[in-house]
Amino acid sequence: EQPVPHTMQLAFIYTRADAAARAPPSPHAASSGGTPADDDSDAAAGARVLRLHTLPLGVAHGHTDIYDGAHPEAVMTLLTRKVVAAAEAEGFREARLLLQDWLVLLLA
């Protein structure tokens, strides 16, 4: 029996501008004396869309796999946000301690 690969699904729900809503008024609406607001095809302002993405995920077999897969920019952004939030909430001393602890754990 083959092992089932690990996957992650992401769901995005958004409103998309409908093509009928952007189209110019139909000629028969103007010829009948109606206004663009009277035309039913222009009444819809958008359409709700559900988009699913399924991504295959690999399994790490050691800490080197995790470090190799880390994005340095994302790690630095996360660390910077945590340190700034700690500095605002608890002061610079606590932020410095948080940074030191984080770096010790990273290098251990």
Side-chain angles (χ1 to χ4, degrees):
E1 185 174 308
Q2 297 248 352
V4 178
H6 298 285
T7 58
M8 176 175 61
Q9 280 195 328
L10 302 171
F12 299 97
I13 300 174
Y14 57 93
T15 302
R16 181 183 65 194
D18 200 8
R22 291 191 308 253
S26 62
H28 50 269
S31 65
S32 63
T35 63
D38 295 336
D39 189 6
D40 288 337
S41 66
D42 292 333
R48 295 289 288 169
V49 177
L50 171 64
R51 180 163 290 181
L52 294 174
H53 290 278
T54 303
L55 304 171
L57 299 176
V59 177
H61 297 290
H63 67 281
T64 56
D65 292 343
I66 295 172
Y67 287 131
D68 290 342
H71 296 278
E73 296 86 7
V75 172
M76 287 305 298
T77 300
L78 174 67
L79 181 58
T80 302
R81 288 182 182 218
K82 283 185 167 281
V83 169
V84 169
E88 289 175 346
E90 301 171 17
F92 287 107
R93 180 174 168 77
E94 289 298 320
R96 185 182 54 161
L97 291 173
L98 173 70
L99 180 60
Q100 287 174 348
D101 289 343
W102 208 92
L103 290 174
V104 165
L105 290 173
L106 179 68
L107 297 174

